């Protein structure tokens, strides 16, 4: 009745659907707990002690204590809260089951405490590990890579509220042959991503779009200016990439996780005082505040960009658990606004979308994801051809450049470091 290809696709349809729902619920649950804890730390407690939550003492104190708390989790929880986040990409190796509670707790505390990282890496790692463990028991003949792709697709779809991002990302890895066409291989991941996105939308609608009104169809001058913005964003982002191994090595000299993360939290608090509360947290809600900040001068916005990128560098170096995409998007918005304020001929929509494209490209080195995030924030289909053209010189300039990762030490190096 069905072609063998169709039977193979339908075999994974139900597991993909279940994985999509459960991955989304994991995301919603952890983000909900973090939001409640954030409300306590930044609204209830300051009111209780009659302290302004944006006061320097509260910002520095809260982030320092957040660093100490995450350090204690990393030191004493089984699995040490997962691997060093500076060495892991968005989709890494599956974690041991005993590392998951510590990783989840470290993520929740960091998000609530105001650390400049997003939730994407830890939640993806948790969903991959759980999916792999359950999948191996229920369907042992299915390859581990299949479970990894399904869990990652479901999480990405749930996080961005759309299966398109997952489809674009995994289009680079899945490929196709005459026997197994590309869309056959994408069938189950797209079910997982779509189900994850729909499940998330039952609770809240992930909305990355800003009110950016692009008044005309793109011109070639817009492409040239947009390319300049993207290249500027890449240059600034690569400074962070080159500094990451050095900053990471400095924190590693402290050796103890509580010292590393406590010092990192203190530095993040000082940066929060310098840049203001808008530079705290993952940046998704805060980027909308940038459009209405009083005194939105080019220099002030550029300063906010540098503070946010510095906070991202410190948070990624000292051991906080989290991802880099959301802070990079915030920095792209502030950089785009700064360049648009400095050069009035540059449209804010073009400047912001191209700056996001450049910075996300630096931190992820994924052209599809960068294009998706830039288009999602701009929320203007007419800009899509421009963004496709702007992506090309940015990608060309980043070819062969180091990734925003610290190389893992070899086993021999780790044993020597203990001596």
């Amino acid at each position: 009745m069905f072609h063998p290809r169709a039977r193979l696709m339908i075999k994974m349809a139900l597991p993909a659907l279940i994985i999509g729902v459960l991955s989304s619920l994991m995301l919603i649950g952890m983000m909900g707990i973090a939001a409640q804890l954030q409300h306590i730390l930044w609204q209830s407690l300051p009111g209780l002690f009659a302290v302004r939550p944006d006061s320097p003492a509260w910002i520095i104190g809260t982030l320092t204590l957040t660093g100490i708390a995450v350090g204690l989790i990393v030191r004493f929880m089984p699995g040490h809260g997962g691997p060093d986040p500076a060495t892991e990409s968005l989709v890494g190796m599956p974690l041991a089951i005993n590392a998951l509670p510590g990783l989840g707790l470290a993520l929740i505390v960091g998000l609530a405490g105001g650390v400049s990282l997003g939730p994407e890496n830890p939640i993806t790692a948790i969903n991959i590990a759980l999916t792999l463990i359950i999948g191996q028991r229920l369907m042992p003949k299915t390859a581990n890579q299949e479970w990894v792709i399904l869990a990652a697709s479901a999480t990405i779809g749930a996080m961005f509220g759309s299966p398109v991002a997952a489809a674009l990302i995994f289009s680079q890895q899945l490929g196709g042959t005459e026997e197994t066409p590309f869309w056959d291989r994408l069938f189950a991941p797209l079910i997982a991503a779509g189900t994850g996105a729909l499940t998330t939308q039952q609770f809240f609608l992930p909305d990355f779009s800003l009110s950016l009104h692009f008044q005309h169809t793109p011109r070639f001058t817009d492409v040239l200016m947009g390319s300049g913005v993207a290249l500027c964003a890449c240059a600034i982002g690569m400074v962070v990439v080159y500094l990451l191994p050095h900053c990471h090595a400095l924190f590693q000299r402290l050796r103890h996780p509580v010292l590393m993360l406590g010092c990192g939290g203190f530095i993040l608090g000082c940066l929060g005082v310098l840049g203001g509360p808008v530079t705290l947290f993952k940046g998704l809600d805060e980027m909308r505040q940038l459009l209405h900040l009083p005194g939105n001068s080019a220099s002030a916005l550029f300063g906010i960009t540098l503070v946010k990128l510095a906070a991202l560098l410190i948070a990624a170096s000292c051991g906080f658990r989290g991802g880099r995409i959301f802070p990079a998007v915030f920095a792209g918005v502030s950089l785009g606004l700064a360049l648009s304020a400095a050069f009035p001929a540059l449209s804010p929509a073009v400047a912001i979308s191209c700056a996001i494209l450049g910075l996300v490209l630096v931190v992820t080195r994924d052209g599809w994801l960068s294009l998706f995030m830039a288009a999602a924030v701009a929320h203007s289909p007419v800009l899509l051809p421009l963004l496709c053209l702007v992506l090309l010189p940015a990608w060309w300039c980043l070819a062969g450049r180091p990734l925003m990762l610290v190389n893992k030490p070899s086993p021999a190096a780790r044993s020597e470091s203990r001596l």
Side-chain angles (χ1 to χ4, degrees):
M1 184 174 178
F2 293 106
H3 191 278
R5 280 172 46 196
R7 288 199 297 270
L8 186 61
M9 285 187 281
I10 205 67
K11 173 187 173 183
M12 296 302 295
L14 181 60
L17 189 149
I18 295 171
I19 290 168
V21 172
L22 295 181
S23 296
S24 176
L25 293 177
M26 178 66 72
L27 168 69
I28 293 166
M30 294 185 67
M31 295 296 290
I33 296 171
Q36 292 298 319
L37 182 56
Q38 178 181 327
H39 180 83
I40 293 171
L41 292 176
W42 294 95
Q43 296 185 38
S44 300
L45 287 180
L48 184 64
F49 293 107
V51 178
R52 289 181 56 184
D54 59 350
S55 66
W58 190 264
I59 292 175
I60 293 174
T62 300
L63 277 157
T64 302
L65 291 175
T66 297
I68 293 172
V70 175
L72 290 170
I73 293 168
V74 172
R75 174 64 181 84
F76 293 108
M77 287 288 288
H80 305 293
D84 185 346
T87 66
E88 293 294 317
S89 59
L90 179 60
V91 182
M93 295 297 293
L95 302 181
I97 190 69
N98 69 336
L100 304 187
L103 177 59
L105 188 56
L107 171 65
I108 288 170
V109 173
L111 289 175
V115 175
S116 292
L117 291 174
E120 59 273 18
N121 289 46
I123 290 180
T124 303
I126 291 170
N127 284 338
I128 287 174
L130 292 174
T131 299
L132 186 59
I133 291 168
I134 297 171
Q136 285 175 332
R137 293 187 178 182
L138 298 180
M139 300 175 65
K141 293 184 179 180
T142 302
N144 290 347
Q145 185 67 12
E146 297 284 341
W147 298 120
V148 170
I149 291 175
L150 287 180
S153 298
T155 308
I156 293 169
M159 196 171 308
F160 297 117
S162 169
V164 175
L168 291 173
I169 292 171
F170 288 105
S171 67
Q172 302 174 105
Q173 300 180 17
L174 295 175
T177 63
E178 288 187 6
E179 296 80 12
T180 310
F182 166 68
W183 276 95
D184 283 19
R185 302 196 65 187
L186 193 61
F187 186 82
L190 203 53
I191 290 177
T195 307
L198 285 174
T199 303
T200 299
Q201 291 173 9
Q202 305 311 305
F203 296 87
F204 66 93
L205 183 62
D207 184 13
F208 299 90
S209 63
L210 298 178
S211 300
L212 304 175
H213 302 291
F214 193 64
Q215 302 296 336
H216 56 267
T217 55
R219 300 182 290 256
F220 284 106
T221 54
D222 294 316
V223 175
L224 292 175
M225 290 188 290
S227 298
V229 170
L231 293 175
C232 177
C234 288
I236 295 172
M238 284 307 300
V239 173
V240 178
V241 172
Y242 283 115
L243 288 176
L244 178 65
H246 304 288
C247 191
H248 182 264
L250 288 175
F251 279 110
Q252 290 298 309
R253 291 183 181 180
L254 297 175
R255 295 183 177 273
H256 199 287
V258 176
L259 285 176
M260 289 191 291
L261 284 148
C263 290
F266 175 77
I267 297 172
L268 289 178
C270 295
L271 288 170
V273 172
L274 181 63
V278 73
T279 59
L280 302 177
F281 305 103
K282 62 180 179 291
L284 179 58
D285 298 323
E286 290 72 23
M287 71 181 186
R288 293 182 176 82
Q289 301 174 22
L290 291 173
L291 300 176
H292 310 291
L293 281 180
N296 258 358
S297 65
S299 57
L301 289 164
F302 189 67
I304 288 174
T305 304
L306 294 182
V307 168
K308 190 65 175 182
L309 290 174
L312 171 59
L313 172 64
I314 297 299
S317 300
C318 70
F320 281 107
R321 272 49 182 170
R324 301 154 194 172
I325 297 174
F326 289 100
V329 171
F330 174 94
V333 174
S334 58
L335 177 60
L337 286 172
L339 293 173
S340 178
F343 303 98
L346 179 59
S347 163
V350 172
I352 290 172
S353 58
C354 293
I356 291 171
L357 187 148
L359 284 173
V360 175
L361 192 61
V362 167
V363 302
T364 65
R365 214 55 57 89
D366 189 302
W368 285 125
L369 182 57
S370 306
L371 189 62
F372 173 83
M373 293 306 303
V377 173
H379 199 60
S380 177
V382 75
L383 283 175
L384 195 54
L386 178 147
L387 292 172
C388 290
L389 291 174
V390 166
L391 174 66
L392 299 178
W395 182 266
W396 177 76
C397 286
L398 292 175
R401 305 294 179 186
L403 305 177
M404 194 174 178
L405 292 171
V406 175
N407 293 328
K408 297 180 181 179
S410 64
R414 286 197 295 266
S415 62
E416 289 176 5
S417 67
R418 296 191 188 102
L419 299 177

